Amino acid sequence: MQPNPPTPHAATVDDKGVHVTTAAGKTRTYSGGEVMTLTQVIDLAEGSATLCQFSTDACLELVDESTQLAADCEELITDITAKGVGANLIGKCELLKEQLDLQAAAAKKVYDQIQGGEEACRTASANAEIRHGAIFRAVADSPLTKPAERDFYNARS
């Protein structure tokens, strides 16, 4: 039996921790370091993946904006060169274009790294359900309310 595929969760981060809203509308806050249930691990991984997705969108916007501004600088350099404006202004425009190109490249690199992080979070979420979901549900559905006595675990067959 295959589990249902994970669904994205909304998430925000502030000084109190990561706030995750599940597809069912439940809100949980994770401050870090606490013991988590499987559901909490899956929710946190999905929330982290969603945060990564928002960050990759912002990076792509920065890449597009920087590329457009660099193209505008190139056009400005061509125009002022044709008008015979001083070399100092042309040099400053070329430096600005170079900085915009570097900014676009850096944003693209960060985009690639965050995208890898998003994929890792989604994989961790899916793997947690696949590997541990059945035992988690078995324990959650069990009528037992406390663990077995120590002798049970120490007994040898």
Side-chain angles (χ1 to χ4, degrees), residues 4 8 27 35 42 46 54 72 77 90 98 127 139 150-151:
N4 292 332
T27 302
V35 175
I42 291 171
E46 282 298 315
F54 292 140
D72 291 347
I77 290 168
I90 293 171
E98 181 181 313
N127 285 344
V139 170
R150 182 180 304 267
D151 292 340

Side-chain angles (χ1 to χ4, degrees), residues 47-106:
S48 296
T50 302
L51 288 174
C52 287
Q53 184 178 5
F54 292 140
S55 298
T56 58
D57 293 344
C59 285
L60 282 180
E61 288 175 16
L62 183 58
V63 169
D64 291 343
E65 186 177 327
S66 298
T67 303
Q68 182 59 47
L69 288 172
D72 291 347
C73 263
E74 186 66 37
E75 189 176 311
L76 180 63
I77 290 168
T78 303
D79 288 348
I80 60 178
T81 301
K83 293 179 180 176
V85 176
N88 190 25
L89 179 60
I90 293 171
K92 290 191 184 284
C93 288
E94 287 173 345
L95 178 63
L96 178 60
K97 181 192 175 308
E98 181 181 313
Q99 293 299 314
L100 287 165
D101 287 337
L102 289 172
Q103 179 174 300

Side-chain angles (χ1 to χ4, degrees), residues 18 21 28 30 32 41 45-46 64 74 81 90 92 99 107 110 130 132 137 141 145 157:
V18 178
T21 304
R28 295 186 180 107
Y30 303 102
V41 169
E46 282 298 315
D64 291 343
E74 186 66 37
T81 301
I90 293 171
K92 290 191 184 284
Q99 293 299 314
V110 170
I130 290 167
H132 307 288
R137 283 188 293 282
D141 294 342
T145 58
S157 306

Side-chain angles (χ1 to χ4, degrees), residues 5-24:
T7 57
H9 297 339
T12 57
V13 178
D14 63 18
D15 59 342
K16 294 180 183 171
V18 178
H19 308 284
V20 177
T21 304
T22 67

